[in-house]
């Protein structure tokens, strides 16, 4: 494959950074965004909070113990989505080939953009970072490399405010000293399996080579690991990968026997699905549960909602109601449970527009409520739709009200 140039961009502590941008009093403070209920988890934490060991996916109760002085917020997801759309619009000006990876990160194929790069990818990365900062007030980290694996790794190496270039000749120096968990696709289980053979660093894998490794972990995994450990990755940048549904299911080693166990697991699945929805910037209208009984009979139940949802609690509420409404012939217990969401809102232009309307509406009602509080409830009716509302609407549009 001809040499490519891939850029990966990822915003620094995205949700928390948006909060700090919009609320100056939060700047320099440990800000933690996430579910605030007793079962909530941390979505993200500002770098000030990370110093206390708070990180994404940590139970909120633990985060509160680790950082009692933290400022805890539920966050404003529509706002994050709007900022995300703005960032992707900027990315699209830097390459015709953009692959969104999550709400705050994406790949850009910048191969052949030498004309604009003037032989220097670093300048290009810097220009993108500057455009994002200037237009959104937020800081991004950027990595540039010959492929996706290395580019994503590079953007993370000097976070926050990173800009790292990895070239073919840097692979041994930069890649090999890193722990194997940094290889794309290596989770906890694979890491432990490899550790049992004495592999800890990426260089260990590269040095062992495919022949040795495949006897230990099989041909497929060995090929994957050795290629990545040598900095090779041919995956293309794919502009849109639009899933029709996002779901998660579990098959249990021992069948679930009680409603309590089922509901507990539905909560877990809802949180996983919610997280995936939010990561991909989606809102869903339909929630479905799937149940397989001990005798392998399988059932699905679904509900479509007029308001699209993406939060764990909302998904769980629907999943639980679907489960409760479904009188199960328990018998041999439940072997598999699944939760999925579909019926996504139309792509960002439309939802952005809707969101602006919604925000406008929220501001409008805040303004109305203030007037009501000041002059009494009946006054707003007296003043009538005509003047007051027009005035408020006009001021929200940024133009003067005319009479
Ligand atoms: P990340 O890019 O993984 O994290 P981040 O931007 O907060 O921090 P970093 O500087 O390390 O990149 O995720 C982007 C956003 O997605 C994050 O701000 C909040 C949300 N998120 C969750 O809601 N739950 C999670 O477990 C993670 C990892 C992220
Ligand atoms: Mg990020």
């Amino acid at each position: 494959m001809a040499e490519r140039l891939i850029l990966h961009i990822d915003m620094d502590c995205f949700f928390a950074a948006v909060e700090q941008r919009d609320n100056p009093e939060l700047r320099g403070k440990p800000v933690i965004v996430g579910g605030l209920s007793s079962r909530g988890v941390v979505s993200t934490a500002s770098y000030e909070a990370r110093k206390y060991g708070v990180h994404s996916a940590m139970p909120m109760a633990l985060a509160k113990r680790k950082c009692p002085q933290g400022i805890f917020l539920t966050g404003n997801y529509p706002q994050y989505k709007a900022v995300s759309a703005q960032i992707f619009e900027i990315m699209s000006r830097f390459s015709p080939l953009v692959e969104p990876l999550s709400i705050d990160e994406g790949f850009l194929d910048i191969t052949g953009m030498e004309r604009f790069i003037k032989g220097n990818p670093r300048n290009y990365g810097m220009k993108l970072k500057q455009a994002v900062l200037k237009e959104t007030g937020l800081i991004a980290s950027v990595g540039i490399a010959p492929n996706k694996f290395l580019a994503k790794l590079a953007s993370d190496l000097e976070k926050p405010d990173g800009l790292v270039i990895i070239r073919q000749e840097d692979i041994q120096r930069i890649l090999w000293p890193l722990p194997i968990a940094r290889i794309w696709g290596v989770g906890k289980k694979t890491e432990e399996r490899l550790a049992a053979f004495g592999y800890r660093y990426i260089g260990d894998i590269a040095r062992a080579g495919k022949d040795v490794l495949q006897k230990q972990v099989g041909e497929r995994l060995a090929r994957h690991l050795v290629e990545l450990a040598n900095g090779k990755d041919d995956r293309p940048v794919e502009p849109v990968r639009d899933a029709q549904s996002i779901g998660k299911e579990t098959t249990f080693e021992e069948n679930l026997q009680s409603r309590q166990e089922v509901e507990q697991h539905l909560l877990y699945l809802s949180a996983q699905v919610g997280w995936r929805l939010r990561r991909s910037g989606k809102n869903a209208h339909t929630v479905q549960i799937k149940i397989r009984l001990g005798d392998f009979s399988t059932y699905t139940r679904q509900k479509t909602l007029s308001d699209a949802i993406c939060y764990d609690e909302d998904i769980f509420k629907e999943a639980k109601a679907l489960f409760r409404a479904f009188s199960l012939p328990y018998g041999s217990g439940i072997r598999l449970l699944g939760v999925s969401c579909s019926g996504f809102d139309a792509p960002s232009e439309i939802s952005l527009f809707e969101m602006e309307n919604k925000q406008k509406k929220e501001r409008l009602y805040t303004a109305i409520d203030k007037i009501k509080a000041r002059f009494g409830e009946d006054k707003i009716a007296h003043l009538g739709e005509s003047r007051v509302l027009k005035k408020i609407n006009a001021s929200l549009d940024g133009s003067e009200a005319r009479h």
Side-chain angles (χ1 to χ4, degrees):
M1 187 182 253
E3 179 95 336
R4 294 178 300 159
L5 206 52
I6 309 297
L7 183 153
H8 179 257
I9 173 168
D10 186 303
M11 304 304 293
D12 296 334
C13 52
F14 185 48
F15 292 4
V18 173
E19 293 301 335
Q20 289 180 323
R21 178 195 73 172
D22 295 346
N23 306 286
E25 71 279 9
L26 299 179
R27 293 180 196 161
K29 304 239 168 80
V31 174
I32 296 152
V33 182
L36 298 185
S37 70
S38 55
R39 284 159 153 181
V41 293
V42 174
S43 291
T44 195
S46 70
Y47 279 86
E48 294 83 358
R50 290 184 196 193
K51 283 192 212 129
Y52 297 90
V54 178
H55 56 75
S56 296
M58 172 182 275
M60 194 51 92
L62 179 58
K64 283 185 180 156
R65 280 204 297 279
K66 281 187 177 277
C67 186
Q69 71 277 47
I71 298 160
F72 295 86
L73 306 170
T74 46
N76 177 355
Y77 188 67
Q79 168 72 341
Y80 310 146
K81 253 189 99 175
V83 179
S84 169
Q86 210 186 343
I87 294 162
F88 279 99
E89 191 279 319
I90 300 171
M91 288 188 216
S92 72
R93 283 187 250 141
F94 281 74
S95 167
L97 261 183
V98 177
E99 176 178 328
L101 211 59
S102 76
I103 192 163
D104 82 326
E105 62 178 315
F107 285 117
L108 280 66
D109 190 328
I110 55 169
T111 313
M113 308 276 285
E114 295 85 338
R115 260 184 329 130
F116 311 107
I117 297 175
K118 299 211 177 74
N120 188 346
R122 178 176 292 275
N123 277 347
Y124 207 67
M126 189 51 88
K127 283 218 175 82
L128 174 58
K129 275 166 65 90
Q130 282 165 348
V132 169
L133 180 62
K134 185 160 169 266
E135 294 176 45
T136 70
L138 298 169
I139 296 175
S141 289
V142 163
I144 300 177
N147 57 54
K148 284 173 149 182
F149 166 52
L150 294 175
K152 184 160 162 67
L153 194 106
S155 74
D156 199 47
L157 282 180
E158 288 179 13
K159 246 180 188 299
D161 204 10
L163 174 56
V164 174
I165 319 290
I166 300 182
R167 296 186 176 78
Q168 209 64 51
E169 59 268 27
D170 302 323
I171 285 169
Q172 289 196 12
R173 181 175 57 85
I174 297 180
L175 188 61
W176 288 13
L178 298 174
I180 43 179
R182 297 297 286 268
I183 297 182
W184 160 63
V186 173
K188 262 257 152 315
K189 277 200 190 125
T190 314
E191 189 186 359
E192 280 166 17
R193 212 168 139 204
L194 291 167
F197 292 107
Y199 303 119
R200 288 182 60 202
Y201 299 100
I202 297 181
D204 299 341
I205 301 281
R207 280 184 292 263
K210 194 173 152 230
D211 292 345
V212 172
L213 207 66
Q214 72 179 9
K215 291 194 191 90
Q216 297 165 327
V217 300
E219 208 270 332
R220 253 186 73 193
L221 181 59
R223 181 157 34 101
H224 174 80
L225 292 174
V226 171
E227 281 194 358
L228 292 173
N230 284 295
K232 296 203 180 78
D233 171 19
D234 283 344
R235 287 173 300 157
V237 171
E238 290 171 306
V240 205
R241 290 177 308 178
D242 234 2
Q244 295 303 307
S245 82
I246 288 182
K248 182 93 181 130
E249 56 184 50
T250 312
T251 303
F252 304 103
E253 276 172 21
E254 281 179 39
N255 295 349
L256 301 187
Q257 301 289 352
S258 72
R259 187 171 94 177
Q260 198 191 3
E261 280 178 302
V262 170
E263 291 187 359
Q264 212 160 11
H265 202 78
L266 285 177
L267 175 66
Y268 165 78
L269 291 170
S270 303
Q272 297 273 314
V273 172
W275 158 225
R276 287 173 187 202
L277 282 175
R278 296 192 299 275
R279 276 288 279 194
S280 48
K282 287 184 160 55
N283 285 297
H285 284 278
T286 302
V287 178
Q288 175 174 288
I289 61 167
K290 177 172 165 185
I291 299 168
R292 179 167 298 144
L293 301 180
D295 63 1
F296 283 86
S297 55
T298 306
Y299 307 85
T300 58
R301 289 290 183 273
Q302 65 177 51
K303 184 175 176 191
T304 296
L305 312 156
S306 53
D307 286 333
I309 57 176
C310 69
Y311 293 118
D312 308 357
E313 293 94 290
D314 299 333
I315 300 167
F316 176 57
K317 189 175 144 238
E318 300 306 330
K320 189 168 76 174
L322 284 167
F323 176 70
R324 288 195 175 177
F326 178 33
S327 51
L328 264 181
Y330 260 113
S332 49
I334 290 180
R335 185 184 157 74
L336 173 147
L337 265 184
V339 172
S340 65
C341 285
S342 57
F344 301 131
D345 260 346
S348 49
E349 286 93 333
I350 297 171
S351 44
L352 191 63
F353 171 73
E354 282 171 353
M355 202 212 52
E356 271 170 4
N357 267 347
K358 196 170 156 231
Q359 279 182 342
K360 232 189 228 174
K361 228 189 242 172
E362 269 169 23
R363 279 182 290 167
L364 175 65
Y365 280 99
T366 312
I368 290 176
D369 289 346
K370 267 192 196 149
I371 296 177
K372 280 185 181 171
R374 217 168 126 201
F375 300 110
E377 180 145 18
D378 56 328
K379 286 290 182 299
I380 193 112
H382 264 351
L383 293 169
E385 290 258 320
S386 50
R387 281 187 52 207
V388 173
L389 290 189
K390 255 188 207 156
K391 193 158 185 180
I392 295 169
N393 254 327
S395 68
L396 287 174
D397 285 338
S399 58
E400 278 297 316
R402 292 187 215 294
H403 305 282

